[in-house]
Amino acid sequence: MVFVTGDTHGDPNRLSKNHLKCLNEGDTLIVCGDFGFIWDKSKAEQKFLKALSKRNYNICFIDGTHENFDLLNAYPLTIWNGGKVHQISDNIFHLMRGQVFEIDGLKIFTMGGGESPDLDARIEDNPWLKYEIPSKNELLEGAANLENNDCKIDIIITHEPSSTIKGFLKLGESEAVRVTTLNAYFDELSKCSEFKRWFFGSLHLDKYISNTYIGVHKAVVNAHTGERVAFDV
């Protein structure tokens, strides 16, 4: 089975065995960005990754807007279940942008990345932050991979939502909604593709916008059924 959750931001409680007791051997958990456990190569971080590597299920993640891309991109690039990944360990994978994976009978399209509101202020001190925005080539590769699958997939996993969903969720807020090129790309993706469910994590909410669009944060959701199987930690 495939399960989905939101940004973990390096919080060990979010990936504790107790919180993930719904996962069985051979299952796959996908984190919708901002994984946070490949950040500084500290002893604590390496110890936790080693513990995760001993689990009998897969832990996968797309990238978000808070990643150390220098560290992430240093891992080996390989193919896993039909798509490109950075392999962290035997059971931990970074699902790269614009890929289609076939996992437990589901075709899953992934597109990590986004644009932080304070990107310009932070990029001078952290030059790798510029990589949080998907490149033109990554967006084109995503479109090509969708076309190769007749634009018919089961699950879409992104960090950011489309501009339409983002605008809907921020109705009533006084500040103008920040819409990026990536949000607009997702609008086009939603129009031209057939899919069952779309999961995103950047807004840090657990919310069913519809049976199709699902915001995830601390909940764990069964990607096959859309059912929540674990809640706040």
Side-chain angles (χ1 to χ4, degrees):
M1 301 290 282
V2 178
F3 300 87
V4 183
T5 193
D7 306 6
T8 47
H9 285 287
D11 180 0
N13 293 321
R14 296 284 309 284
L15 298 182
S16 69
K17 289 184 177 179
N18 184 59
H19 187 53
L20 300 181
K21 59 186 177 183
C22 55
L23 272 73
N24 296 309
E25 183 174 357
D27 286 342
T28 298
L29 175 72
I30 302 178
V31 179
C32 289
D34 291 350
F35 184 57
F37 295 102
I38 300 175
W39 187 257
D40 59 8
K41 297 187 74 172
S42 66
K43 289 184 178 179
E45 181 176 280
Q46 294 302 303
K47 181 179 179 180
F48 190 68
L49 284 174
K50 185 176 181 179
L52 291 180
S53 70
K54 295 179 181 178
R55 304 277 178 94
N56 62 2
Y57 46 78
N58 299 312
I59 298 173
C60 301
F61 62 97
I62 61 170
D63 51 271
T65 55
H66 297 89
E67 311 285 357
N68 186 328
F69 287 98
D70 284 343
L71 290 182
L72 191 55
N73 292 333
Y75 282 93
L77 176 62
T78 188
I79 301 296
W80 181 74
N81 286 344
K84 297 176 184 176
V85 298
H86 285 117
Q87 185 165 3
I88 313 304
S89 70
D90 288 344
N91 68 322
I92 304 176
F93 304 92
H94 166 226
L95 308 181
M96 296 183 69
R97 299 169 180 173
Q99 304 301 302
V100 175
F101 300 90
E102 295 194 27
I103 308 173
D104 284 337
L106 296 178
K107 282 191 176 183
I108 301 174
F109 175 80
T110 59
M111 181 62 77
E115 183 176 332
S116 302
D118 59 343
L119 176 65
D120 293 338
R122 293 188 298 130
I123 199 168
E124 185 174 338
D125 294 329
N126 300 282
W128 40 263
L129 289 175
K130 63 184 178 182
Y131 298 114
E132 70 183 34
I133 305 169
S135 68
K136 179 180 178 180
N137 286 340
E138 288 169 332
L139 297 178
L140 289 174
E141 182 176 2
N145 283 333
L146 284 171
E147 289 181 3
N148 289 338
N149 286 274
D150 298 321
C151 294
K152 295 179 181 180
I153 47 180
D154 297 302
I155 304 296
I156 295 176
I157 303 284
T158 63
H159 184 59
E160 285 279 332
S162 67
S163 58
T164 300
I165 297 298
K166 192 173 187 178
F168 171 77
L169 291 171
K170 290 184 174 292
L171 281 173
E173 293 189 7
S174 57
E175 293 185 8
V177 177
R178 182 184 178 95
V179 175
T180 68
T181 301
L182 184 60
N183 298 134
Y185 175 90
F186 289 152
D187 270 338
E188 292 302 312
L189 191 156
S190 68
K191 294 174 184 176
C192 71
S193 301
E194 294 182 30
F195 56 93
K196 296 176 182 176
R197 294 181 186 85
W198 185 324
F199 296 93
F200 61 91
S202 68
L203 299 184
H204 290 184
L205 51 78
D206 288 302
K207 187 176 182 65
Y208 290 86
I209 293 88
S210 66
N211 290 331
T212 304
Y213 296 94
I214 303 174
V216 286
H217 186 207
K218 294 184 178 181
V220 178
V221 181
N222 185 318
H224 301 260
T225 65
E227 176 189 8
R228 287 184 186 174
V229 294
F231 301 88
D232 290 359
V233 291

